Amino acid sequence: MTMHIQQNNAVYNVKHLNIPAQAGVEFYQHPQSQFLYIKSGVLAVITRSGRYFIPACHGIMIPANIRHELLAKTDVALTAVYITDDIFETTIDQPFVAHASTFFKALMNELLTLPSSNKQTLIHHRLIAVFQDYLPQLTKRDMFLPYPQDERLLAIIEKLQKYPSMKSDLLSWGKFVQTSARTLTRNFKKETGLTYSQWRQRLNIQIAIKHLAQKDEIASIAALLGYQSSSSFIYMFRQQIGISPKQFLKTLI
């Protein structure tokens, strides 16, 4: 389903998409800004600089001309809004993830019911104006996992993404990639802005979000990520996200 909407100088196209798990769209870019609202499931948006995870009832704003890839981590239903002109007062040059309020969820559903442009009335234009005004006010969520460029670091994070419970420290990884732990420590911070420990926690959060969305037990998620107890995992999750895993689950409804 696609809707074409005109509001002042900006043109909006609204689409509803269903993407099965592990399917997606390879790297591409578009001349419009794009807002993707996830109605159900978990979507990964991958750019050259890293990966964003967007669970249900969250959305991601992607500026125009940003090359990105879409990958459904579970079955995903989403609404995509393409905007020809920048709707923000300040320039947005990087994607951001935001949590949708109850009102905004209803607003996204209403956008899909809009008639074709030649049948729209003033009330429809006002609905678009509300979307335009409300979008910058959404609560931002840090769901970004930065990627390094160094080939040695890329080899390490590839292993960690496959085997997140691995306990290896940078001294052990140094032997794996044949370089010193000091060099890895310095390069990790320089290229990602995070320490190795902080990066691993970000990775764990993304993996946890996928499994929480699938209604997996907290104990099994903790074990998958290498935590010896559920309480240790819950503490890490709360430190990173600001709420417990159970509280986070409520934001996906």
Side-chain angles (χ1 to χ4, degrees), residues 51-112:
R51 182 177 71 184
Y52 299 82
F53 258 39
I54 310 94
C57 303
H58 290 68
I60 182 169
M61 187 70 192
I62 305 173
N65 301 313
I66 294 284
R67 283 183 57 78
H68 59 283
E69 178 181 8
L70 306 182
L71 178 62
K73 306 303 288 186
T74 67
D75 290 343
V76 168
L78 65 84
T79 299
V81 183
Y82 298 85
I83 311 155
T84 56
D85 286 349
D86 191 352
I87 66 172
F88 296 101
E89 293 181 0
T90 58
T91 301
I92 304 296
D93 56 7
Q94 293 297 327
F96 67 81
V97 176
H99 176 240
S101 65
T102 301
F103 171 77
F104 194 79
K105 296 172 197 175
L107 179 61
M108 294 304 298
N109 287 331
E110 285 298 317
L111 286 179
L112 282 174

Side-chain angles (χ1 to χ4, degrees), residues 151-185 188 196-197 199-200 203:
E151 292 184 0
R152 295 164 297 185
L153 298 182
L154 287 172
I156 292 170
I157 70 170
E158 182 180 359
K159 282 283 187 182
L160 287 173
Q161 290 183 76
K162 289 181 179 179
Y163 309 105
S165 64
M166 292 182 71
K167 300 292 187 181
S168 302
D169 57 17
L170 287 180
L171 188 62
S172 300
W173 284 121
K175 297 175 182 177
F176 174 66
V177 296
Q178 299 182 333
T179 193
S180 70
R182 179 179 297 180
T183 297
L184 293 177
T185 299
F188 226 104
Y196 171 69
S197 176
W199 191 93
R200 288 204 64 167
L203 172 65

Side-chain angles (χ1 to χ4, degrees), residues 4-13 32 82-85:
H4 180 79
I5 308 157
Q6 181 83 33
Q7 171 67 21
N8 297 327
N9 294 324
V11 177
Y12 297 76
N13 287 306
Q32 311 105 321
Y82 298 85
I83 311 155
T84 56
D85 286 349

Side-chain angles (χ1 to χ4, degrees), residues 218-223 227-239 244-245:
I218 288 177
S220 67
I221 299 173
Y227 289 90
Q228 294 184 350
S229 67
S230 295
S231 59
S232 297
F233 163 69
I234 292 169
Y235 177 79
M236 181 280 298
F237 193 95
R238 187 188 294 273
Q239 288 292 105
S244 71

